[in-house]
Amino acid sequence: MSQIDLLVHNIKALVTMAGPAGARSGAEMKEIGLVQDGAVAVVDGRIVAVGREEDVQKQIQGADISTEWDAKGKLVTPGLVEPHTHLVHGGSREHELSLKLNGASYLEILEKGGGILSTVRATRAATEEELFVKAKKSLDQMLQFGATTVEAKSGYGLSVKEELKQLRVTSALQKLHPVDLVSTFMGAHAVPTEYKGRTDEYVALVINEMLPEVKRSGLAEFCDVFCEHGVFSVEQSRAIMQAARKLGFRLKLHADEIEPLGGAELAAELGCISAEHLLAASDEGLLAMKEAGVVAVCLPATSFNLRLSKHARARKMIELGVPVALSTDYNPGSSPTESLQLVMTLGCLNLGLTPEEVLTAMTINAAHAIGRAEQVGSLEVGKQADLVIYDADNLAYLPYHFGINHVKTVVKNGQIVVQDGKVAYE
Ligand SMILES: O=C(O)CC1=NCN=C1
Ligand SMILES: [Zn+2]
């Protein structure tokens, strides 16, 4: 190697996340590929050498190094991966806080035309430019919290025109923002007011018009459905996802978030890449997911924010051999936070995961949940040089000391995009 673009060195604790192929579960979730006194060398945005600094220095000996970045004896991890967000949306729902404090449940608020439908009204009323500006601000926040790859769902348009508007905003962000975005169509997020009481007719609209239009637009890779009591039944969810699969979409499912409908079983039956929430999932459903290789995406900020007495049974999932990923579920109602670092703390304190399992769930397993494990989720030769340097020298300190942002520097495709905790990209 004659030319190195970036060398990140003097890393006291380098978490490479190098390990077995495939999404990880069981004891494998504790294997984080930790290297003491490490370094990472980058050419053209890709990792060319990674490991103990003395070994990396030998591998690049004699090369001309454009930028040497001193990690000052701190912790470095792979760029964090957000596999589940509702990034693009209009308005906000702080008024729901008092409703919740007065005992209203999530589904009761939705049933009365609030919740998702309140955000649908705000999103339909917003211009593409307004949605772009608002989503970019959140994406900058996510980047500052260490997220370098983010999944973004539609689902606040609920008509062909408005769903395509949301998806175009995600596409515009993908072109202009350093964070890599992965787009999911979620027209089956709720039944719009104009179809109230006519859910089957709305399901037909999703199947016969929205899915083909979205496929033609090329603006989404995945299709997700909110399979929930009072939203879309197992049968309706199955019909939508079978139609989506036929068109070539890969599948995700909001499953067993509040009521145990058997969403986990349906996700396994249809070969979803991931199933989301799963607070009410049965052991049988989780076992079926394990057999089908479905990644469980747990969302502890949501159960925290909804003041639920129970959380996703992540420990049980790991015991059964289901790969676990974590995400913020960023959305204006059930989880209005962009902080994956808060999710680290909740993953430990409310889900009972160790710091190592939490990091696996936010890197390589999250990458598997969005089909990007070949490109990101670990610091290995050939992968994208997406990494985070923290103002901490060990992993446990991140979830332990909560409520602040520990990120100092973020590197995306070999470029410094966050410096001293603030976005620093052109
Ligand atoms: O409430 C929202 O806007 C997002 C959500 N969809 C399903 N659960 C939460
Ligand atoms: Zn969600």
Side-chain angles (χ1 to χ4, degrees):
M1 279 170 261
S2 59
Q3 168 72 36
I4 296 294
D5 297 327
L6 172 69
L7 174 68
V8 181
H9 70 110
N10 190 15
I11 304 169
K12 181 177 177 194
L14 171 61
V15 176
T16 65
M17 210 42 80
R24 299 174 197 170
S25 191
E28 286 178 348
M29 280 195 69
K30 288 191 173 77
E31 293 171 23
I32 60 172
L34 181 63
V35 170
Q36 299 297 346
D37 303 322
V40 182
V42 180
V43 172
D44 291 339
R46 296 273 164 168
I47 297 168
V48 294
V50 53
R52 287 157 40 87
E53 178 149 1
E54 60 185 285
D55 299 336
V56 170
Q57 292 287 11
K58 279 191 197 119
Q59 290 175 58
I60 65 172
Q61 199 166 15
D64 171 36
I65 301 172
S66 306
T67 305
E68 281 204 38
W69 196 273
D70 182 350
K72 298 191 171 63
K74 297 292 186 181
L75 165 75
V76 169
T77 74
L80 304 181
V81 178
E82 264 272 31
H84 181 135
T85 83
H86 302 259
L87 174 68
V88 178
H89 60 265
S92 57
R93 289 158 39 193
E94 57 272 34
H95 62 278
E96 288 181 6
L97 182 58
S98 57
L99 299 177
K100 281 192 293 190
L101 293 174
N102 286 317
S105 76
Y106 177 86
L107 291 178
E108 283 166 348
I109 294 170
L110 178 59
E111 173 55 33
K112 292 197 175 98
I116 294 172
L117 296 178
S118 152
T119 302
V120 168
R121 288 189 289 275
T123 305
R124 287 178 173 180
T127 64
E128 246 171 278
E129 175 60 20
E130 287 164 342
L131 293 177
F132 177 93
V133 168
K134 180 177 170 60
K136 178 183 177 298
K137 188 176 168 200
S138 288
L139 202 51
D140 283 345
Q141 283 287 1
M142 291 176 181
L143 180 59
Q144 287 175 171
F145 281 119
T148 50
T149 302
V150 170
E151 184 260 11
K153 305 176 194 293
S154 67
Y156 292 118
L158 307 188
S159 70
V160 174
K161 172 171 160 279
E162 294 295 330
E163 283 293 311
L164 288 172
K165 178 174 93 176
Q166 270 194 280
L167 292 168
R168 281 196 302 274
V169 173
T170 301
S171 176
L173 279 166
Q174 168 62 19
K175 293 185 180 80
L176 294 168
H177 199 279
V179 169
D180 282 326
L181 284 165
V182 173
S183 181
T184 296
F185 164 68
M186 194 172 184
H189 191 198
V191 178
T193 312
E194 63 270 25
Y195 278 88
K196 188 168 173 63
R198 298 187 294 130
T199 303
D200 282 332
E201 287 177 52
Y202 181 68
V203 169
L205 175 75
V206 173
I207 292 173
N208 300 323
E209 293 188 43
M210 280 191 202
L211 278 168
E213 277 299 314
V214 170
K215 189 63 190 175
R216 254 192 296 283
S217 75
L219 290 171
E221 187 176 338
F222 295 94
C223 174
D224 193 342
V225 177
F226 189 12
C227 179
E228 183 59 71
H229 172 74
V231 193
F232 296 100
S233 67
V234 167
E235 293 67 32
Q236 290 162 339
S237 304
R238 179 183 289 113
I240 292 165
M241 290 204 288
Q242 284 175 330
R245 186 171 56 184
K246 217 179 280 175
L247 287 168
F249 289 95
R250 298 178 74 179
L251 305 177
K252 292 174 168 289
L253 186 67
H254 277 56
D256 302 322
E257 176 178 1
I258 298 161
E259 299 294 336
L261 295 190
E265 289 86 342
L266 179 62
E269 174 200 323
L270 292 171
C272 290
I273 190 169
S274 66
E276 327 289 317
H277 291 287
L278 300 165
L279 279 75
S282 66
D283 288 3
E284 295 73 22
L286 295 177
L287 266 175
M289 280 175 57
K290 184 238 179 186
E291 294 311 319
V294 180
V295 177
V297 179
C298 297
L299 306 162
T302 306
S303 45
F304 162 75
N305 182 55
L306 294 181
R307 307 175 75 204
L308 300 179
S309 55
K310 68 176 186 176
H311 304 282
R313 296 186 294 151
R315 283 249 63 89
K316 183 71 178 173
M317 293 169 188
I318 292 174
E319 183 192 307
L320 292 175
V322 183
V324 170
L326 291 174
S327 203
T328 59
D329 186 18
Y330 173 63
N331 73 78
S334 65
S335 188
T337 181
E338 292 96 337
S339 174
L340 269 177
Q341 290 178 53
L342 169 62
V343 172
M344 282 185 191
T345 299
L346 296 173
C348 291
L349 300 185
N350 285 356
L351 302 187
L353 300 182
T354 67
E356 294 75 16
E357 290 168 334
V358 161
L359 199 76
T360 299
M362 284 189 175
T363 51
I364 194 67
N365 276 7
H368 277 285
I370 54 172
R372 294 293 188 277
E374 295 302 311
Q375 296 87 344
V376 295
S378 64
L379 298 176
E380 297 180 274
V381 171
K383 282 194 162 182
Q384 284 178 206
D386 296 356
L387 59 87
V388 185
I389 307 174
Y390 302 83
D391 186 16
D393 64 6
N394 69 87
L395 178 58
Y397 193 76
L398 301 186
Y400 148 79
H401 184 161
F402 61 95
I404 66 165
N405 185 0
H406 295 283
V407 167
K408 288 290 284 178
T409 308
V410 178
V411 175
K412 176 67 187 171
N413 288 317
Q415 300 296 318
I416 308 288
V417 291
V418 168
Q419 216 171 322
D420 293 329
K422 293 290 173 226
V423 290
Y425 63 87
E426 301 306 314

PDB file of all heavy atoms in Angstrom, residues 86 93 106 116 156 189 226 254 257 277 329 331-334, ligand 1:
ATOM      1  N   HIS A  86     -38.998   6.071  11.889  1.00  0.00           N
ATOM      2  CA  HIS A  86     -40.052   6.702  11.071  1.00  0.00           C
ATOM      3  C   HIS A  86     -39.598   8.138  10.806  1.00  0.00           C
ATOM      4  O   HIS A  86     -40.252   9.107  11.187  1.00  0.00           O
ATOM      5  CB  HIS A  86     -41.380   6.663  11.820  1.00  0.00           C
ATOM      6  CG  HIS A  86     -41.829   5.271  12.196  1.00  0.00           C
ATOM      7  ND1 HIS A  86     -42.786   4.569  11.498  1.00  0.00           N
ATOM      8  CD2 HIS A  86     -41.424   4.446  13.202  1.00  0.00           C
ATOM      9  CE1 HIS A  86     -42.965   3.364  12.057  1.00  0.00           C
ATOM     10  NE2 HIS A  86     -42.139   3.266  13.088  1.00  0.00           N
ATOM     11  N   ARG A  93     -46.206  15.425  18.515  1.00  0.00           N
ATOM     12  CA  ARG A  93     -47.375  14.972  19.281  1.00  0.00           C
ATOM     13  C   ARG A  93     -47.172  15.150  20.801  1.00  0.00           C
ATOM     14  O   ARG A  93     -47.587  14.330  21.595  1.00  0.00           O
ATOM     15  CB  ARG A  93     -47.713  13.524  18.942  1.00  0.00           C
ATOM     16  CG  ARG A  93     -48.299  13.390  17.547  1.00  0.00           C
ATOM     17  CD  ARG A  93     -48.241  12.100  16.868  1.00  0.00           C
ATOM     18  NE  ARG A  93     -48.445  10.869  17.571  1.00  0.00           N
ATOM     19  CZ  ARG A  93     -48.144   9.670  17.022  1.00  0.00           C
ATOM     20  NH1 ARG A  93     -47.602   9.627  15.809  1.00  0.00           N
ATOM     21  NH2 ARG A  93     -48.357   8.552  17.663  1.00  0.00           N
ATOM     22  N   TYR A 106     -51.938   3.913  23.991  1.00  0.00           N
ATOM     23  CA  TYR A 106     -51.530   4.217  22.620  1.00  0.00           C
ATOM     24  C   TYR A 106     -52.678   3.924  21.652  1.00  0.00           C
ATOM     25  O   TYR A 106     -53.032   4.757  20.796  1.00  0.00           O
ATOM     26  CB  TYR A 106     -50.287   3.382  22.273  1.00  0.00           C
ATOM     27  CG  TYR A 106     -49.813   3.556  20.866  1.00  0.00           C
ATOM     28  CD1 TYR A 106     -48.954   4.594  20.520  1.00  0.00           C
ATOM     29  CD2 TYR A 106     -50.280   2.728  19.844  1.00  0.00           C
ATOM     30  CE1 TYR A 106     -48.540   4.777  19.218  1.00  0.00           C
ATOM     31  CE2 TYR A 106     -49.871   2.912  18.535  1.00  0.00           C
ATOM     32  CZ  TYR A 106     -49.010   3.942  18.225  1.00  0.00           C
ATOM     33  OH  TYR A 106     -48.612   4.138  16.930  1.00  0.00           O
ATOM     34  N   ILE A 116     -50.943   8.082  15.164  1.00  0.00           N
ATOM     35  CA  ILE A 116     -50.411   8.068  13.785  1.00  0.00           C
ATOM     36  C   ILE A 116     -51.229   8.994  12.890  1.00  0.00           C
ATOM     37  O   ILE A 116     -50.693   9.736  12.058  1.00  0.00           O
ATOM     38  CB  ILE A 116     -50.432   6.630  13.226  1.00  0.00           C
ATOM     39  CG1 ILE A 116     -49.468   5.714  13.995  1.00  0.00           C
ATOM     40  CG2 ILE A 116     -50.133   6.611  11.732  1.00  0.00           C
ATOM     41  CD1 ILE A 116     -49.567   4.249  13.634  1.00  0.00           C
ATOM     42  N   TYR A 156     -46.832   7.783   6.778  1.00  0.00           N
ATOM     43  CA  TYR A 156     -47.647   8.910   7.299  1.00  0.00           C
ATOM     44  C   TYR A 156     -48.344   9.647   6.153  1.00  0.00           C
ATOM     45  O   TYR A 156     -48.865  10.739   6.336  1.00  0.00           O
ATOM     46  CB  TYR A 156     -46.765   9.886   8.077  1.00  0.00           C
ATOM     47  CG  TYR A 156     -46.228   9.316   9.367  1.00  0.00           C
ATOM     48  CD1 TYR A 156     -44.861   9.168   9.569  1.00  0.00           C
ATOM     49  CD2 TYR A 156     -47.080   8.906  10.393  1.00  0.00           C
ATOM     50  CE1 TYR A 156     -44.352   8.638  10.750  1.00  0.00           C
ATOM     51  CE2 TYR A 156     -46.585   8.377  11.572  1.00  0.00           C
ATOM     52  CZ  TYR A 156     -45.216   8.239  11.739  1.00  0.00           C
ATOM     53  OH  TYR A 156     -44.716   7.717  12.919  1.00  0.00           O
ATOM     54  N   HIS A 189     -49.459   1.387   7.635  1.00  0.00           N
ATOM     55  CA  HIS A 189     -49.079   1.809   8.990  1.00  0.00           C
ATOM     56  C   HIS A 189     -50.312   2.053   9.833  1.00  0.00           C
ATOM     57  O   HIS A 189     -50.327   1.848  11.029  1.00  0.00           O
ATOM     58  CB  HIS A 189     -48.243   3.092   8.877  1.00  0.00           C
ATOM     59  CG  HIS A 189     -47.565   3.504  10.124  1.00  0.00           C
ATOM     60  ND1 HIS A 189     -47.079   4.767  10.319  1.00  0.00           N
ATOM     61  CD2 HIS A 189     -47.267   2.816  11.253  1.00  0.00           C
ATOM     62  CE1 HIS A 189     -46.528   4.840  11.506  1.00  0.00           C
ATOM     63  NE2 HIS A 189     -46.611   3.678  12.097  1.00  0.00           N
ATOM     64  N   PHE A 226     -48.043  -2.698  10.007  1.00  0.00           N
ATOM     65  CA  PHE A 226     -48.339  -2.619  11.443  1.00  0.00           C
ATOM     66  C   PHE A 226     -49.422  -3.659  11.756  1.00  0.00           C
ATOM     67  O   PHE A 226     -50.621  -3.389  11.642  1.00  0.00           O
ATOM     68  CB  PHE A 226     -48.809  -1.220  11.816  1.00  0.00           C
ATOM     69  CG  PHE A 226     -48.936  -0.954  13.294  1.00  0.00           C
ATOM     70  CD1 PHE A 226     -48.422  -1.831  14.242  1.00  0.00           C
ATOM     71  CD2 PHE A 226     -49.578   0.184  13.758  1.00  0.00           C
ATOM     72  CE1 PHE A 226     -48.549  -1.582  15.617  1.00  0.00           C
ATOM     73  CE2 PHE A 226     -49.704   0.461  15.117  1.00  0.00           C
ATOM     74  CZ  PHE A 226     -49.195  -0.445  16.049  1.00  0.00           C
ATOM     75  N   HIS A 254     -44.104  -4.965  11.913  1.00  0.00           N
ATOM     76  CA  HIS A 254     -44.352  -4.504  13.290  1.00  0.00           C
ATOM     77  C   HIS A 254     -45.224  -5.583  13.908  1.00  0.00           C
ATOM     78  O   HIS A 254     -46.391  -5.741  13.502  1.00  0.00           O
ATOM     79  CB  HIS A 254     -45.106  -3.174  13.279  1.00  0.00           C
ATOM     80  CG  HIS A 254     -44.245  -1.968  13.104  1.00  0.00           C
ATOM     81  ND1 HIS A 254     -43.387  -1.789  12.050  1.00  0.00           N
ATOM     82  CD2 HIS A 254     -44.129  -0.857  13.864  1.00  0.00           C
ATOM     83  CE1 HIS A 254     -42.772  -0.617  12.151  1.00  0.00           C
ATOM     84  NE2 HIS A 254     -43.187  -0.022  13.247  1.00  0.00           N
ATOM     85  N   GLU A 257     -46.676  -5.834  19.058  1.00  0.00           N
ATOM     86  CA  GLU A 257     -46.197  -4.687  19.866  1.00  0.00           C
ATOM     87  C   GLU A 257     -47.018  -4.569  21.133  1.00  0.00           C
ATOM     88  O   GLU A 257     -46.485  -4.432  22.224  1.00  0.00           O
ATOM     89  CB  GLU A 257     -46.287  -3.387  19.064  1.00  0.00           C
ATOM     90  CG  GLU A 257     -45.885  -2.157  19.896  1.00  0.00           C
ATOM     91  CD  GLU A 257     -45.919  -0.827  19.132  1.00  0.00           C
ATOM     92  OE1 GLU A 257     -46.275  -0.830  17.921  1.00  0.00           O
ATOM     93  OE2 GLU A 257     -45.598   0.209  19.754  1.00  0.00           O
ATOM     94  N   HIS A 277     -40.588  -4.742  17.548  1.00  0.00           N
ATOM     95  CA  HIS A 277     -41.303  -4.587  18.826  1.00  0.00           C
ATOM     96  C   HIS A 277     -41.352  -5.909  19.612  1.00  0.00           C
ATOM     97  O   HIS A 277     -40.567  -6.112  20.506  1.00  0.00           O
ATOM     98  CB  HIS A 277     -42.727  -4.041  18.631  1.00  0.00           C
ATOM     99  CG  HIS A 277     -42.798  -2.626  18.187  1.00  0.00           C
ATOM    100  ND1 HIS A 277     -42.513  -1.580  19.020  1.00  0.00           N
ATOM    101  CD2 HIS A 277     -43.110  -2.075  16.995  1.00  0.00           C
ATOM    102  CE1 HIS A 277     -42.659  -0.431  18.368  1.00  0.00           C
ATOM    103  NE2 HIS A 277     -43.011  -0.701  17.131  1.00  0.00           N
ATOM    104  N   ASP A 329     -36.641   3.456  17.105  1.00  0.00           N
ATOM    105  CA  ASP A 329     -38.035   3.545  16.643  1.00  0.00           C
ATOM    106  C   ASP A 329     -38.429   5.023  16.510  1.00  0.00           C
ATOM    107  O   ASP A 329     -39.598   5.390  16.645  1.00  0.00           O
ATOM    108  CB  ASP A 329     -38.994   2.846  17.596  1.00  0.00           C
ATOM    109  CG  ASP A 329     -40.432   2.789  17.053  1.00  0.00           C
ATOM    110  OD1 ASP A 329     -40.627   2.965  15.825  1.00  0.00           O
ATOM    111  OD2 ASP A 329     -41.367   2.593  17.863  1.00  0.00           O
ATOM    112  N   ASN A 331     -39.945   8.258  16.132  1.00  0.00           N
ATOM    113  CA  ASN A 331     -41.215   8.698  15.528  1.00  0.00           C
ATOM    114  C   ASN A 331     -41.836   9.695  16.489  1.00  0.00           C
ATOM    115  O   ASN A 331     -41.465   9.750  17.668  1.00  0.00           O
ATOM    116  CB  ASN A 331     -42.146   7.494  15.279  1.00  0.00           C
ATOM    117  CG  ASN A 331     -42.740   6.954  16.573  1.00  0.00           C
ATOM    118  OD1 ASN A 331     -43.682   7.539  17.110  1.00  0.00           O
ATOM    119  ND2 ASN A 331     -42.182   5.874  17.082  1.00  0.00           N
ATOM    120  N   PRO A 332     -42.763  10.531  16.027  1.00  0.00           N
ATOM    121  CA  PRO A 332     -43.263  11.641  16.858  1.00  0.00           C
ATOM    122  C   PRO A 332     -44.235  11.222  17.950  1.00  0.00           C
ATOM    123  O   PRO A 332     -44.655  12.042  18.755  1.00  0.00           O
ATOM    124  CB  PRO A 332     -43.967  12.536  15.834  1.00  0.00           C
ATOM    125  CG  PRO A 332     -44.400  11.603  14.758  1.00  0.00           C
ATOM    126  CD  PRO A 332     -43.352  10.531  14.681  1.00  0.00           C
ATOM    127  N   GLY A 333     -44.589   9.915  17.992  1.00  0.00           N
ATOM    128  CA  GLY A 333     -45.595   9.520  18.986  1.00  0.00           C
ATOM    129  C   GLY A 333     -45.052   8.577  20.024  1.00  0.00           C
ATOM    130  O   GLY A 333     -44.888   8.924  21.188  1.00  0.00           O
ATOM    131  N   SER A 334     -44.673   7.379  19.598  1.00  0.00           N
ATOM    132  CA  SER A 334     -44.313   6.365  20.601  1.00  0.00           C
ATOM    133  C   SER A 334     -42.837   6.395  20.979  1.00  0.00           C
ATOM    134  O   SER A 334     -42.437   5.759  21.948  1.00  0.00           O
ATOM    135  CB  SER A 334     -44.677   4.969  20.071  1.00  0.00           C
ATOM    136  OG  SER A 334     -43.873   4.673  18.943  1.00  0.00           O
TER     137      SER A 334
HETATM  138  O1  LIG B   1     -47.038   6.130  16.563  1.00  0.00           O
HETATM  139  C1  LIG B   1     -46.323   6.313  15.569  1.00  0.00           C
HETATM  140  O2  LIG B   1     -46.317   7.362  14.888  1.00  0.00           O
HETATM  141  C2  LIG B   1     -45.332   5.239  15.137  1.00  0.00           C
HETATM  142  C3  LIG B   1     -45.753   3.856  15.488  1.00  0.00           C
HETATM  143  N1  LIG B   1     -46.218   2.993  14.645  1.00  0.00           N
HETATM  144  C4  LIG B   1     -46.495   1.752  15.262  1.00  0.00           C
HETATM  145  N2  LIG B   1     -46.133   1.966  16.584  1.00  0.00           N
HETATM  146  C5  LIG B   1     -45.685   3.227  16.736  1.00  0.00           C
END
